Amino acid sequence: MEGLRIASAEIRRPDLRWPLPPDLRQVMTGARVTALRRRSKYLLADLEDRGTVLWHLGMSGRMLIEGHAPGEFHRDPSIYARHDHVVLRMETGTTITFNDARRFGMVDLIREGGGHPLLDHLGPEPFDDAFTPAYLAAAFAGRRVPVKQALLDQRIVAGLGNIYVSESLFRAGIDPRRAAGRIGAARIAILAGHVRDVLADAIAAGGSSLRDHRQATGELGYFQHSFRVYDREGQPCLRDGCTGHVRRIVQSGRSSFWCASCQR
Ligand SMILES: [Zn+2]
C-alpha cells in the first residue's frame, strides 16, 4: 500500500464497534498512502494531505490482501465475504479488505494535523528507548494499584495485553497483586527487561492464536505453546525448583495467572 493510491474505497456498514466516519469513503478514495505505521494496538495509514486512517483489529479483525492475478493470494474459505466491511482497491489492482466477523474492530480518521483521543495519552512502546527501568519506576512510584493493572494501563506502557502481562510478571517473579508502588527499583528493572523479552519471543512465534489471531500471512501464531502461566490454572509451576501450582484470580475483570510460591 505504501506509495500507492487507493483507486476506490467501499464501506459496507455504517458501524463496527463504533460508527464509521460518514466521509470515510470520500477521504480514502483517490488518496495516496504515504506510510503504514503501528502505535500500541492500532494500525495507521497516513494519507497524503488527508490525515491518517486509524484501524483496530478488535477480537477477530484481519486485513486480507488479494491480488489481481489469479492465485496470487489465497483466501481461506473459512473467512466469509459477508464479514468484509471495508474494501480498498489499490491502483495496482490489489484489493485490501478489512474483514471482521465479531465487529469489535474499528476504523476512524485522524484529521490532517490533528490528534486522536485513543492515541493522545498512550505511554511509550515497550521497544522504545523511552521505556527504561527509570521510566517504569517513576510511572509506578506511589501507585497503590496492583502491578497487573498498572502494566495493562496503556498510559504507562502502550500495547501490552493480558497474556503478556501475566507472562512478564511470572518471568520477573512478581505477584500480580503487589502494589505497583511497592516494587523496588532492581525488580522493576528486571520486569522491564522481561516485558521486552516476552514480546520479542511472542513476535518470533507469530503471536498467540487462542481464537482468531493470524499472522499477516494467514498463518497461525504459536506462542500459546510457550505460555508458562497463562491459561494453566491448577497445573504445576514451570519454574525450575518450584513445587507450586498456577492459580487464577480475576483483576479488573481479566484473568491473572500466577504461582503463589515463587511470585512475590
Ligand atoms: Zn512457581
Side-chain angles (χ1 to χ4, degrees), residues 170 237 239 242 244 259 261-262:
F170 174 78
C237 177
R239 197 185 308 278
C242 181
C259 172
S261 299
C262 64

Side-chain angles (χ1 to χ4, degrees), residues 22-43:
D23 59 345
L24 184 62
R25 185 185 66 82
Q26 191 190 334
V27 169
M28 288 201 289
T29 300
R32 186 179 298 282
V33 178
T34 54
L36 289 174
R37 300 180 285 132
R38 180 194 60 77
R39 177 76 170 109
S40 183
K41 298 170 190 170
Y42 300 97
L43 307 175

Side-chain angles (χ1 to χ4, degrees), residues 116-130:
H116 195 281
L118 291 171
L119 302 183
D120 288 345
H121 304 289
L122 290 174
E125 297 283 328
F127 292 113
D128 267 2
D129 291 341

